Amino acid sequence: NNRLLTEGLTSERVEEAVFGFHEANWHPLVWLSYMVEVELFGMKPQVMHITNVLLHIANCLLVYLWLSRSTGDAFRSFLAALLFAIHPMHVESVAWITERKDVLSTLFLLATLIAYSEYVRRASYRWYFAAAVLFCMGLTAKAMLVTVPIILVLLDFWPLKRLKLNSALRLDRATLKSLLGDKVPFIILSIAIAWVTIVAQRSGGAVAGLSVLPFEERTANSMVSVSRYVLKSLWPSNLSVFYPMPVGGWPMGILVISVVVFLSLSMVAWWARNGRVAILMGWSWFVVTLLPVIGIIQVGIQSMADRYSYVPMIGLSVMLLWGLPDQFFRLKPGPLAVIGLMTIALLFVATKQVSFWQNSITLFEHALAIEPANNFTSHLNLGNAYFEAGRREEARVHLEEAVRLNPENSEKVQILARSYLREGKYRETEELLKKALQINDRNSGLWLLLGNAIKGRGDDEMTVMYYTKAVALDSTSSEALNNLGLMLCRSNNSEGMKFIRRAINANPENAQAHNSLGNALVREGSLEAAQKSYLEAIRLADLPESKKNLEYVRELLGQP
């Protein structure tokens, strides 16, 4: 249903993808990848799933290639790639088509690291230029790559061994030049994309203000999330598509344990810096790559997300595999048995996790089973899924719970109101919407639905008043313009037709508006024009009412 994609690779849509913000994000390369698929294969979700899987496979191979070339340890690199390939926490990034930005941006991230490593090995600026170009492309897929300049500094210590940690602690001019000299272009690109991303997310209302989520709660959630990511990486159970923020923040006991875990792992990594600097590098990679999504700048309403671990987990893999003694990786029955059992266990859990992504009902039923408390997002999505499946009673239960948990969210109120309207519950709809309007009376959608409810009760004067309010708040709402036009046509056909035409201009694919225009044209005697409007409504949505209206007009015109 995304109009940005349905036309494929048209110049207008490409321009919109490159220069526009969508759903509070800017990632044009992702949109262009979808457009190419639509252009070549049409709107086929199976093609998009296959693309995600192929990108994930490519990323697994690149993890192996990068680590084996950089470290010379093929066996550890193979195990790191295997862990990356089958870890259950990566299911979300691959199975969810929308997370194309994860698998696509990681492809360019790993390619950037390989090119940078080759630049260091060969002292070739062609490889340096390639790394900069690949990094730039990766940023257009997902802004999470803004931490790459810091990652490149980490690589200089391990595995490239370009700098010694002890000498780097003496920040003289020569050391700073070695650390930052060839990172400057990467830093400039990261700052530019970070600024664009913040603008995009604020424009879409995705960045929560401090009044919504105080800084101390964000900091506490960030600390708890780090520990949860580590725990779920080591023991991937109770994985969910959505982890809600706890009501009133995390309990002090959990927060204290999380702080202790974070500090302990940090101290272990620091103490190991002389003998096994890979442990410090792996832990630093994990923490640094989590920073953009850890919640200090809170985007969305989740406390954490499996998809955010896609890149950070590479650091944990390095920390684990290069932290173990070399003897463990000699091909002996004991270590091989351990590796085999762990592989089988991860494959089993990952396969189970994939099964929850069968459809929206299985996905959000599982989410509520794992995280039942304060999970209004899962209640909302499950209610929608039940409604689309015709399970109206179950849908209403979950929609009402979503509104009860978060009455300030007008989106949830509107979905529940539409559910009530379909069932003819006009009084309930009116009560629900008037409560919501006491919280936010600047929402056009609420006034539109209130007009629909009053219309159902037969009060035309109040209906026109509410529709007029909706149009005044949002003059581009095609539905509100059409509904107002329909009501005005009852008393002044030409005046009503003006609003219906505005509805079509606002959304040329509004089939109901084309049908309304046909009705208005019939009233003024323009039967040929009415026929064209009905045909357009049928083309767009195959409306049964438009078919009946077309039959009637053709009878008047004496046509078959």
Side-chain angles (χ1 to χ4, degrees), residues 538-549:
I538 293 166
R539 184 189 72 80
L540 289 168
D542 199 29
L543 293 179
E545 59 203 277
S546 296
K547 290 180 179 178
K548 290 180 182 178
N549 293 339

Side-chain angles (χ1 to χ4, degrees), residues 92 238-243 306 353 366-368 370-371 375:
E92 183 173 302
N238 292 334
L239 303 181
S240 173
V241 68
F242 186 78
Y243 302 96
D306 290 353
Q353 189 64 22
H366 175 68
L368 284 171
I370 297 299
E371 297 276 352
N375 201 340

